[in-house]
Amino acid sequence: NRLKQMNDLDRFVYLPGLHGEHADADAVRVALDFIADFEPHRRIIGGDVWDFAPIRKGADECEERASLQDDMECGLHLLNQFQATDHCLGNHDIRPWRLRDESTGATRDYAGILVDQITKAHERLGCKVYGYRIDQVCKLGPGLNAIHGFAHNMHTAKTTADSYPGATLAGHTHHIAYYRAPSFDVRECWMTGCMRHPIAPYNQTRLATFRHTVGFAWGYYSETAPVYTVNQAQRMANGAWILNAKEYR
């Protein structure tokens, strides 16, 4: 299997921006097919496995009336489908924690139930969880980092590369980009797209949506040396994916 030819290195996949009930079914299927071939040692959820729009700050009346049940169940199912080994919590994922900590009464109780369900799902999988904080980093050996992402501008890859030493995988902004900072030490960042449909009701009037792209990252890393290879998977305009010279449809 050519995908596993680098026998002295461990393998990973990084899956960004699934967004629960809004996950792109084609992207999920392709990623699962690829994982079956690649057999990665680490399967990293790059944040926002749930959307949780009804409990976001600033939710409109329509969002607040929506149910969380489908979104919650879809996110739990995705964690299980991918057999996640690591989860970098995203700004959407942490909404139940925020709601629990900032609310009272029945609302706090319900948010606590959501938090408990998520925590138990992670425990069942043995999935390591990284909080949504800049200092909570998923390490892939001494050279490669994985985070959800914190910057949100037209130059996110540059901002992230300038901020984190080493190489960093991120999602958050749903676009694909790369930047290597001019620095004495290695500082580079891959923004890896998303695994939800890029067009949604909330972003139909935002120019940044033109940059949203369905994709994920995969590659190799060493547990003992700053050695790594990062590859970007991206869905093309005709719906096909090219991954290591094999076409997935």
Side-chain angles (χ1 to χ4, degrees):
N1 189 333
R2 289 183 60 200
L3 286 171
K4 295 184 284 186
Q5 62 189 342
M6 301 177 76
N7 294 325
D8 57 333
L9 298 177
D10 288 339
R11 301 178 295 278
F12 75 87
V13 291
Y14 173 88
L15 307 161
L18 286 149
H19 287 269
E21 63 183 329
H22 303 295
D24 187 292
D26 170 67
V28 170
R29 178 186 57 79
V30 167
L32 287 170
D33 286 349
F34 176 75
I35 287 169
D37 289 343
F38 191 43
E39 297 182 355
H41 301 86
R42 304 274 291 276
R43 296 170 298 281
I44 305 159
I45 302 295
D48 293 347
V49 73
W50 292 278
D51 195 64
F52 288 143
I55 56 173
R56 73 178 180 91
K57 283 187 175 181
D60 60 33
E61 185 178 346
C62 182
E63 286 174 322
E64 289 180 339
R65 288 200 304 266
S67 171
L68 283 176
Q69 189 65 31
D70 288 346
D71 190 44
M72 184 66 178
E73 291 179 356
C74 285
L76 293 173
H77 181 59
L78 288 163
L79 283 177
N80 284 317
Q81 276 188 300
F82 289 115
Q83 288 292 289
T85 61
D86 303 86
H87 183 180
C88 304
L89 293 178
N91 54 303
H92 287 248
D93 295 328
I94 65 168
R95 286 171 177 171
W97 278 267
R98 179 191 56 77
L99 186 64
R100 180 196 63 184
D101 296 342
E102 296 178 1
S103 302
T104 59
T107 300
R108 181 181 61 192
D109 294 342
Y110 178 64
I113 291 170
L114 296 178
V115 169
D116 188 54
Q117 287 181 298
I118 294 168
T119 301
K120 287 180 177 177
H122 287 139
E123 290 173 350
R124 282 193 297 270
L125 288 167
C127 177
K128 187 170 183 180
V129 180
Y130 306 84
Y132 188 55
R133 293 172 29 171
I134 59 172
D135 61 341
Q136 293 279 302
V137 176
C138 172
K139 300 292 291 184
L140 295 159
L144 184 59
N145 309 311
I147 62 174
H148 172 63
F150 301 93
H152 200 290
N153 52 45
M154 289 295 287
H155 307 288
T156 309
K158 180 182 185 303
T159 302
T160 305
D162 286 338
S163 301
Y164 284 93
T168 303
L169 304 167
H172 189 43
T173 57
H174 297 188
H175 73 273
I176 290 174
Y178 170 79
Y179 184 81
R180 181 173 180 128
S183 173
F184 287 111
D185 59 347
V186 174
R187 291 174 180 264
E188 56 185 337
C189 174
W190 285 264
M191 303 302 299
T192 58
C194 64
M195 292 184 66
R196 66 162 294 160
H197 193 282
I199 304 297
Y202 79 92
N203 65 19
Q204 290 178 358
T205 60
R206 300 179 183 178
L207 290 175
T209 303
F210 282 126
R211 302 185 71 203
H212 290 193
T213 308
V214 178
F216 60 91
W218 61 278
Y220 306 86
Y221 69 98
S222 169
E223 287 283 7
T224 58
V227 176
Y228 53 86
T229 299
V230 177
N231 301 283
Q232 176 68 56
Q234 178 178 346
R235 186 166 65 196
M236 297 180 292
N238 66 355
W241 301 63
I242 300 296
L243 295 166
N244 201 58
K246 178 177 178 180
E247 184 172 301
Y248 289 73
R249 285 189 177 270

